[in-house]
Each structure stands twice: as structure tokens, then as C-alpha cells.
Amino acid sequence: MPLLAFLIAFFISAPMLAIASKRPKKVYLLIAVIVGAGSISIYTLTKVPNLLYQEVTNYYNLIIGKELKDYYDYTKFGDESKVATWEKTNRVYIWKSSLEIIEAHPWFGVGTGDEKKELYKEYKAKGFNQLIKSRMNTHNQFLSYLVRYGLVGTSIILLTFILLFKDALGNKHSTYTFFLCFMVLCMLTENIMVRQWGVVFFAFFNSCFYYGSKKEL
């Protein structure tokens, strides 16, 4: 997921960098290298037994409203001894449980201290014992905010990011734009802001970009 976030963030900020750069040819060459590396990575992932098939299949089934399978066809892509790796551990089941908590507490959430308690309660009700055993959080920072703070608190956080993006784009700061895109995309699949390293990483680099020169670094 971080690799995918990096690639998407790069393609969003690359045009700004190419316009601002005095050597756009090098930027376009870098884009070509990134595309090539990304394509090879994706091709490699689809050729080995892993959770990618399960993830993509369940995301698609969730969108079109089909029943989610406990695991993908592991007999085709793996062997029976690896059935544990295909169990209900992907984010689709976690996100569905999170959304049901949000529907029950839409405005102010359940509070910071009760997030895991409510998640584990929802997992238990659905029989997702593996998720409880693995101590799975929401695996989406924005869903975590909604579970904790509801629509009211999450709106304030989103407004903060909107203002940061406005500053980066308004000053044509491609590096800052890339950083913000990368962080937001990572937050779609990971709870990086509930870990100390995640908070420190964001606070440090965001401060450097925000309070630094408004010109491209």
C-alpha cells in the first residue's frame, strides 16, 4: 500500500514539478522509471500466491453488493497448509465493521478510549475471531477518526488538511503537495496517526514544509 500511495502521490505532484523545474526532461525520465518499476512490481505481485487476489476480489464484491467470501480460491493460488493466510483478515471486513459503528454513533463517535472496545465487540458479533486475535484496528485513519470523534470531530481534521493542501497548491510547492498526497493516501489503508512514529513523522516534515520557504525546495 505505501508503494501504491507513493506512485499516486508522485503522479499528482509530478506535473507541478515539471512546470517549476528548469530541466523537465529529467523529471519526465524519472516518471518513466517510476511507471516501469511500478508496473513490474504489480506484475510480480499478481504472479505469486498472496493476499492481493483476496483484497481486490473482496473490494469489487463489496462495491457491487455481492456476498464476501471467507477467502479466495487458495487451492488455485496456494496450498491447503496456507489456508490461515486467506482467512478473514483483509480490510473489507474491518471497514464494514467500522462503518456499522459509525452508523450507530454518527455525530460524536464513541470516544478515543472506546474505539478498540467497540471494534472488538463488532468483530465478536460477526464471528471474526481472527480479527480479535490479531488485534486489528480500522486500518483506515479516517474511519478511525469517524469512530472516535464522529462527523463533528472528523470535519475539523479534514478542514485542517484542506487548508494545508490550499497552502501547498497556492504556493506551487510540489514537494509539499507530494508529501501531503502521500500521507493522505497512506491514511486510507493504515492508522499511521495513532502511532508515535507516525505523528512525529508527519509533524516534523509538515512543519518543515509549511514554515519553510514558500518556493519550491
Side-chain angles (χ1 to χ4, degrees), residues 76-141:
K76 181 178 179 181
F77 300 107
D79 57 71
E80 192 170 352
S81 64
K82 297 178 182 178
V83 66
T85 65
W86 303 96
E87 289 181 351
K88 301 174 183 177
T89 56
N90 64 62
R91 292 172 176 82
V92 171
Y93 298 99
I94 299 172
W95 292 348
K96 286 197 70 176
S97 299
S98 301
L99 288 171
E100 294 193 12
I101 297 173
I102 294 167
E103 289 177 5
H105 307 274
W107 296 108
F108 299 102
V110 300
T112 302
D114 290 332
E115 179 185 10
K116 288 187 177 180
K117 175 184 174 183
E118 293 297 323
L119 272 175
Y120 295 165
K121 186 188 300 183
E122 194 68 33
Y123 294 157
K124 185 175 182 180
K126 294 181 180 300
F128 298 161
N129 296 322
Q130 181 64 30
L131 297 183
I132 300 174
K133 186 177 179 180
S134 301
R135 302 170 65 86
M136 289 292 182
N137 55 30
T138 60
H139 273 275
N140 181 302
Q141 188 63 64

Side-chain angles (χ1 to χ4, degrees), residues 35-214:
V35 170
S39 300
I40 294 173
S41 299
I42 293 173
Y43 178 79
T44 303
L45 283 173
T46 58
K47 290 299 179 181
V48 296
N50 54 63
L51 293 176
L52 183 61
Y53 287 103
Q54 180 188 12
E55 294 280 355
V56 173
T57 301
N58 278 328
Y59 293 156
Y60 175 73
N61 288 340
L62 178 66
I63 292 172
I64 65 175
K66 288 182 65 176
E67 181 181 357
L68 301 179
K69 297 181 179 181
D70 290 355
Y71 49 83
Y72 199 68
D73 188 3
Y74 70 91
T75 57
K76 181 178 179 181
F77 300 107
D79 57 71
E80 192 170 352
S81 64
K82 297 178 182 178
V83 66
T85 65
W86 303 96
E87 289 181 351
K88 301 174 183 177
T89 56
N90 64 62
R91 292 172 176 82
V92 171
Y93 298 99
I94 299 172
W95 292 348
K96 286 197 70 176
S97 299
S98 301
L99 288 171
E100 294 193 12
I101 297 173
I102 294 167
E103 289 177 5
H105 307 274
W107 296 108
F108 299 102
V110 300
T112 302
D114 290 332
E115 179 185 10
K116 288 187 177 180
K117 175 184 174 183
E118 293 297 323
L119 272 175
Y120 295 165
K121 186 188 300 183
E122 194 68 33
Y123 294 157
K124 185 175 182 180
K126 294 181 180 300
F128 298 161
N129 296 322
Q130 181 64 30
L131 297 183
I132 300 174
K133 186 177 179 180
S134 301
R135 302 170 65 86
M136 289 292 182
N137 55 30
T138 60
H139 273 275
N140 181 302
Q141 188 63 64
F142 298 106
L143 285 181
S144 177
Y145 287 146
L146 286 167
V147 171
R148 292 183 179 195
Y149 313 125
L151 290 171
V152 175
T154 304
S155 297
I156 297 173
I157 296 172
L158 290 177
L159 178 61
T160 302
F161 275 97
I162 291 172
L163 293 174
L164 293 176
F165 269 107
K166 183 179 179 181
D167 180 82
L169 293 171
N171 290 287
K172 296 181 180 179
H173 200 318
S174 58
T175 309
Y176 191 17
T177 302
F178 167 80
F179 171 74
L180 290 174
C181 288
F182 176 73
M183 291 299 298
V184 169
L185 289 168
C186 285
M187 289 166 69
L188 293 177
T189 58
E190 298 294 341
N191 291 33
I192 58 178
M193 292 299 197
V194 299
R195 299 178 175 88
Q196 182 181 11
W197 66 263
V199 174
V200 172
F201 178 84
F202 178 78
F204 176 78
F205 284 102
N206 185 69
S207 297
C208 289
F209 290 131
Y210 185 82
Y211 292 108
S213 174
K214 296 300 181 182

